[in-house]
Amino acid sequence: HKVTQYKAGKASLYAQGKRRYDRKQAGFGGQTKPVFHKKAKTTKKVVIRLECVECKYRSQKCLKRCKHFELGGDKKRKGR
């Protein structure tokens, strides 16, 4: 497999929710939907994307939460 870290794509301007939100926000009347402030988590779950070299089949594997994640970093050696 070819292994990469999953990253969310750019949000589309034409998705149904975004179209509805923009329509509602237009004009006077201020913010119409709640804006979320009470963020409790400091990390996100790491998602690994596996792509088969032969058939290009892609599957995703969810890992645990961590603050720092590195793909294929240097191996930790004893006594260095």
Side-chain angles (χ1 to χ4, degrees):
H1 285 95
K2 195 169 90 184
V3 183
T4 50
Q5 188 174 354
Y6 168 80
K7 181 174 175 280
K10 196 172 129 202
S12 169
L13 213 57
Y14 303 107
Q16 179 61 69
K18 179 67 173 145
R19 295 199 308 260
R20 186 184 292 122
Y21 179 74
D22 289 341
R23 185 98 182 91
K24 198 172 182 181
Q25 284 288 86
F28 301 112
Q31 180 68 31
T32 56
K33 287 185 139 282
V35 178
F36 185 70
H37 292 300
K38 295 186 171 181
K39 191 168 181 311
K41 304 274 188 286
T42 57
T43 56
K44 288 194 165 152
K45 289 181 179 176
V46 176
V47 177
I48 289 298
R49 187 159 166 237
L50 306 158
E51 184 180 338
C52 177
V53 182
E54 286 110 44
C55 64
K56 296 279 191 261
Y57 176 79
R58 296 186 189 115
S59 62
Q60 292 180 328
K61 181 99 177 82
C62 183
L63 305 182
K64 291 182 177 173
R65 295 178 178 276
C66 61
K67 294 208 173 195
H68 179 76
F69 179 77
E70 196 176 327
L71 259 179
D74 296 333
K75 303 275 188 290
K76 286 186 180 170
R77 294 196 187 97
K78 234 178 178 180
R80 287 228 175 159

